[in-house]
Amino acid sequence: MAKSSEPTLSQQVVRSLLARKEKGIPKAVREKTLLHIVDEIGAALAARVGAPAAPEAMQALHVGSNGGKCQVIGGGDGLPPAFAAFVNSAFCHAMDFDDIHDKCHVHVTSTTFPAAL
């Protein structure tokens, strides 16, 4: 089978991101991103004390782990990276409903922000 000379979708995405990096991130995009990050932190803090399943999520992820270096938003809990990202994402998503991408119908910051942390 001959190899296609067309770049894969992954290669196209990487090239696009590298080209965008060269140009810099527009001020409006940076400001909107910071707004979403602050919103997610607030949502996570509210969920930590107000979401019905928050204590159960924390307790479940502490089972079998000996702590970790990653913190859960709003506390000093140390969890392994994947566990902390999961709990932070759950907390962000539990009390936040405004960060919807209209065309994709997804709530992106509640998953991308905890992963970036």
Side-chain angles (χ1 to χ4, degrees):
M1 179 180 255
K3 193 171 185 178
S4 173
S5 62
E6 291 289 318
T8 66
L9 179 58
S10 296
Q11 290 169 326
Q12 292 174 34
V13 169
V14 169
R15 288 176 184 163
S16 176
L17 290 172
L18 289 172
R20 170 50 41 201
K21 182 180 176 184
E22 299 277 327
K23 295 176 185 174
I25 299 172
K27 182 179 179 184
V29 173
R30 284 194 317 271
E31 289 174 353
K32 188 71 167 182
T33 300
L34 289 174
L35 177 68
H36 284 300
I37 289 171
V38 169
D39 182 59
E40 292 304 325
I41 291 170
L45 291 171
R48 188 173 178 97
V49 297
E56 290 83 0
M58 285 297 301
Q59 185 177 10
L61 287 171
H62 277 290
V63 173
S65 74
N66 293 324
K69 294 183 179 183
C70 297
Q71 291 186 323
V72 175
I73 295 171
D77 313 275
L79 289 173
F83 289 9
F86 179 84
V87 171
N88 283 330
S89 181
F91 286 177
C92 288
H93 197 64
M95 305 289 269
D96 193 17
F97 310 101
D98 65 345
D99 178 16
I100 303 293
H101 186 276
D102 293 332
K103 291 183 182 180
C104 297
H105 303 291
V106 294
H107 184 89
V108 294
T109 309
S110 65
T111 53
T112 57
F113 174 60
L117 288 176

